[in-house]
Each structure stands twice: as C-alpha cells, then as structure tokens.
Amino acid sequence: MAERPVAATAPELVLETETGSTVMSPNHDYHVGRDPLCDVVIDDVRVSWHHAVLRPHADHWTLEDENSTNGTYADGRRVHEWGVGPGSVIRFGSPADGPRAVLVSRPPPAGERPSAVSVPAATSTFRQPTTVRPLPSRTVRIGRGPDNDLVVDDLIVSRNHAELLARPDGTYEIVDLGSHNGTFLNGQPVERALVTPGDIVGIGHSAFCLVGDQLQEYVDSGEVSLDVQDLVVEVDRGRKTLLDGVSFPVGEKCLLAVVGPSGAGKSTLLNALTGQRPADHGTVLYDGRDLYRDYAELRQRIGLVPQDDILHAQLTVRRALTYAAELRFPQDTAKAERRARVDEVIGELGLEQRADQPIHSLSGGQRKRVSVALELLTKPSLLFLDEPTSGLDPGMDRSVMHMLRGLADDGRTVIVVTHSVLSLDVCDRLLVLAPGGKVAYYGPPDDTLAFFGYRQWPEAFEAFERDRDRDWAGEYRDSPFHRQYIDKSTSQPKVPDAESGALVGPPPKAQSWGSQLRTLVRRYAAALGADRTFLAIMIALPFVMGVMARALAGGKLTRDTAMNALLILCVGGVLTGAANAVRELVKERTIYQRERAVGLSRSAYLMSKVVVLGTITVLQAVVLTLVALFGVDLNAPGGEGVLMPPLLEITLAVALLAFTAMMLGLLVSAVVRKEEVTMPLLVLLAIVQVVFCGALLKLHGVPGLEQLSWLVPSRWALGAMAGTIGLARIVPGDLTGDPMFRHSTGAWLINMGMLVVLSVVFGWLVARLLRRHEPAVMRK
C-alpha cells in the first residue's frame, strides 16, 4: 500500500469481495492482484499477479488496469482508467463470471446501530458491520447457495433461505423461503414481515439491519460476551429460592468455571444461562441482546454438553457425528458439505486417530471430546458443559480442561460447571456459588482461596456447609473483587426483565419430519446392529421360547397340550416385545433431551423406535410361532381357522401381541427414571400377562378382574388363538367357556382389534410422557 504525500478529498469507501471487505482511505492507493503482498488479494487464475489499482483522485476514486492479461471490467465494460464510486461493480479477468468486487459507502458512525442492542460498541458482533451494501432497489435473495444475491457461508443457512423485498412505497419486507432453521425478526421467527430501520433480521449466524441508506451485515464469529444480571429462580410458588440475585460478566474468548457445594444452584444456573429454564427474574445479555427475548433465534448459537454422553456408544465416532450432522443441518445440505464439517471438528478436537473407533471403546476423556465435537458441528458461540470431568482420573481431568482452554482461545465463550478443582488454573474466571444460590466469589481463580481465608479447597467447601448463617454474598459484595470484576467489568447497562420469553415455541426443524424419521431409523438400526449382546438375545429368545412351546405341543394340540402351548406362545410374545423396548427410551433420555432442544421431532423420534423395534419384534414373533407350531396338527374345527388358515391366524395373533407388548415396554421405559429398574418391571410385566391372560383364572363374569384384564394384551391374544383352534371344544370347561374364546369371526376380530387399540393407547401415552423430559421452555 503506497502512502500518498498530498491529502485527497475522495470519500472513504468499502471494497467488498467474495473473501471479505477492505476499508479504503483516501490517503492510499490500493493494489489488486494474486500477489500475496497486494492490498486486495484475489486467488483466481484469471487475475494477474498485479492486476489493477484503485487510486483517490481529487474528490473521487479511479480504477486503473495494470496491463493485466485478461482485463478489468467496471460497470460492464473493459477499462484502462475509469472513475468509480459507491455502487460500482468491478470484475477482474472476465466480464461475465470473473471475481467480483463492489464499492459501497463507508459505514455510518458507531451510534447508528440495531435498536435491539443497548450498547453496540461493547459487543463483538455489533461493534462494526462485517459488510455494508447500498439498500437494494429490488428483491435480494439471501442463502447459502452461490446463486443468491447475498451469499451467507453458513451451514445452518438453507441454500435459498429468504428474500428482502423492496416495496414500491420505499419500505422493505423480509420473506422466509421455507428455510429449515428459520428467519427471525428481532429474535422472533417470521414467514413474512415488514422491516423497519434498526430491526435485526437473523439468518443463521448473521444479522442484517437497515441503517440509513445501507444494508449492514453483522456476523456472529463466536467471540461474544455474556452479561448476567440479577438472576432469581424460585420454586414452590416463591417459598424456595434456588438462585438469588446472581450477576457477573463473561468476556469474549473467556473460560469460566462454576463451582460450589451441592445444592448451591449450579445446575439451575446452567439451565437459566442456556434458556432451557429461564430465570423468574433478571436478564441474560448475549453480546448485548436479551437472550430470553430473542431466545428463538439465539438458541441456535448455544452448545450444551450434558454430564452424560449424548451419543450412541455403539457407533463409531465418525458415524455418530455424521448422523448428528444430518439432523442438525438443513435438508438441502449436500453430503460432501456435511462430511467436510464432520472431518473439520474431528480434526479440531484431535480425534483423527479415533474417528473409526466405536465410542464405547474410548476413554472417558475421549468420549467427552466426541460429545463436544457434536456440539461444535453448528459452530456455537457459547459452549456450556455440565460436569465434563465427572468420573475422570486427574490426568483426564486436566486433559479435558486444557481442551476447553483451547476452544476458548479459538474464539468461543466457554462456561463449565464442575465439582473438580484440580485444573481451575487454566480458567480465566471462577464463579463460586454459596448455598442458597448466591455469588460468594467471582474473579481470577488464583485469588479465590486467599479471599476466603483458606489454604485448601476442602476447607472452603466444609465452611460452606458448616457456616450456613455466614453472609458469603455480602462479604463478596463489599470487597474490591466485586468492584473490579463485576462493577467495573460490566459494560452493558441494566436491562428490564423480558416478558416475551414465555412465548418461545419449539425450535425450527432443520429436516422435514420424513427426513428426520429416515435418519433416526438408519441411526437406530445401526446402533442396534452394532450391539452384539442385543443381537444374540434377539436371535436366541424366539428360538428358545419356540422350542419350549414345541415340546409342550407335541405332534398335535390335545386336551393335555393345547392350553399350555398357547400360554407359552403368549409368554414368549410378551417377553419378546417388552424385552426389546423396556430400556430403549430411558437409556437415551439425555440424547433425546439435547436433540429435542435443537429441533428433533418428538413424533419422529417415537416413530423411529416403533419402526425399528416393531420390525424386529414381528420377525421374532413369526420365528417363535413357526418354531413352535409348524408341522403340528392344530386340531382346528374342520382344519380351518376363523378367516384364514389356522397357523397364519395364530402367527398374526402372536405378532400383534408382541408388537403391543413392545409398545407397553416403551411405556414402561418412558415412565421410569433409571435403567436399572426396567428388568424387575419386565419380570412383573410377564407375571401380570400370565395371570390375567385367561389361561389360569376365570375372568369372564368376575367383576373387577374382568375389567382389569381388558388392559392386558395377552388376554386378547389368547382369546384370538383360542378362537382359531376352537379351544372350548378341545378343552371343555368353565375356563374355556369364555365368550372371547369362541370360534367366530366377531370374537376373533374383537380380540385382534383390541390389541391394535391398546398399541395406539400405549403409543399416545409414551408421546405424552416424552414431553415431561423436554426443556421447560419448550413445554410452555
């Protein structure tokens, strides 16, 4: 860049290219070319090493071609020297598709900024526009694809995302083009809305604002601040306070650790900061924007790594991340784009050597890296981690904390809730919560113990438990640390509580329902296929039960064998279906909660379980029945079933029973809180099916028992099978005189229909119970 001796009066301009923008001062010449030493470097073979130069001349700018091979084109014509100004379009090397540059006016003073940001100069995102363009006089299409007028290089943006329409009356309107992650106006999702000066149009990580006669773009690059103001969380209608006036600032690229004794409110604070359970009072400012008010948009920029792993342990690292990318990125994202991003985060977390290794075979620290990698797929600016070092040895503990240090240094704000105090020295700030959810300390980690007056952390935690009446928060509030690290470090003014947070709905779905279902089915089938223990049980169970039933049936169903054979088929069908499903929801609860928070469809998730488990269960039931009865004389009346051949009818009844039992297993899995209690409940479930199926007790005409048996799937399945073979004829007696055992079309259809009804009811209940485990903000 050559210094000019005489000051020029040409205006300051901004030169926008595909790779960025350059502010052009009238005191310099600006050289364009492939030479890395040029002021504007354009890496294209059609561009000469020294291609052109932009010079201020009196009150304007001139563009001079430096004898380039392929020419310079301004405003559609080849030029050697040409006057240019705001709005000029320049192409290098080709008039049609050569690298493009646009000249626009210098941005307005810092005071003109989006109206939803209180102090833009104190933020990273809104301090200075990333790009500035003249307000369009026509429709501008915005999206990820190169065919858009305004290209946003962001994988969570759809290929054709939205349009900014210039209306005849001089106003502007934003129109969503069916994008998968949504278009937002001042934090709220919109399909079509009027845009006024100062409004923030959110698309992916970019914000667009109309300021004066310009369209300004602000890109959230990750270096964001967080200002927490007077957070209060109460339960039991205000009778118990979990957080009490918590305030602190978190700077850009900061690693903050949150510690405190059990019950101090660490998890409550985490939920409040991530917006999953907003505080009852107070404000969280995300780089100057009210997180609760604009949560619908900003939640896409928040990553959360729970204490439990959020990936299917049977899958390899690469495969698990690939499925996650399919669910989180827009449906029009190309496979190559997803693969490239997966490879990028694998490299960033140092997992290249473990990429094709099953997650369950990794060490605890490596598994935590994979969970972090999943959250980094969408490039969150704020990353929260809940007890990431829980259960790790000291070496792994330090390794994980150093990884988080590196993530913060790379341009993110990282907040980690932890019980471990081994590696606090790598953090920039430490927040200590005292019992009652009050701030006992906020500042550099190295000064913490001296502030409390102890040498070791165990002494400090013992004091928290012992001195319950001590005013920890008051002591800190009166200290120099509070003045230095809170009062003087908080750059954003106090903002009143937002009232619109309760209006936040579920997040936009990056994939359509059908696309989510297909991805979930493939992922679930792959996870089950990689579980060798499950496969062994799945294959063995129907054969074992079938052989038992075959031994009881003999060569023909008779008075001595018929009831026992049908009873074993019922037990086998129930165990087959219920055992497949009884653990499947509770063991994935953490995964479901996180994926639901970022747009997973509840019904698609449940349906994926039904499709995969249902297919496996029905196949098992068919094997069970054929092993038990193929070649056996079923002794049906006249050798005929009610509507079909006897063996086919019994196979259908066992298959439908197993499917209904599978749905009942999913219901149990949705109810319980721990995976360990599912096996005892499975045994209890089997006993109930045996007792109330009608093979051991007379149920018809017995008040109470008969009505209770209506809820037992095996009752209807045994009735259907008994009707097929005419059990009352083979084994006469009061027990088999049940009307549901009749060899009639009506009785058989009622039995089969009730199994269908029970399956639907169980499925509806599971869907309702799944809702209980979703973030509180999504249940409002």
Side-chain angles (χ1 to χ4, degrees), residues 8-24:
T9 59
E12 283 193 345
L13 296 178
V14 178
L15 181 70
E16 298 287 352
T17 66
E18 294 179 357
T19 58
S21 58
T22 302
V23 177
M24 298 181 3

Side-chain angles (χ1 to χ4, degrees), residues 595-649:
E595 291 187 339
R596 180 73 176 125
V598 295
L600 179 69
S601 165
R602 181 192 309 145
S603 58
Y605 175 78
L606 177 56
M607 187 57 67
S608 71
K609 301 295 183 187
V610 173
V611 169
V612 176
L613 292 176
T615 300
I616 294 172
T617 298
V618 168
L619 290 175
Q620 288 176 299
V622 171
V623 171
L624 164 65
T625 310
L626 293 180
V627 170
L629 298 180
F630 186 76
V632 174
D633 183 356
L634 300 180
N635 200 11
E640 301 290 335
V642 176
L643 296 174
M644 294 168 281
L647 182 58
L648 179 56
E649 284 189 2

Side-chain angles (χ1 to χ4, degrees), residues 171 528 552 615 674 710:
T171 60
L528 291 182
L552 289 173
T615 300
K674 295 182 179 180
W710 293 347

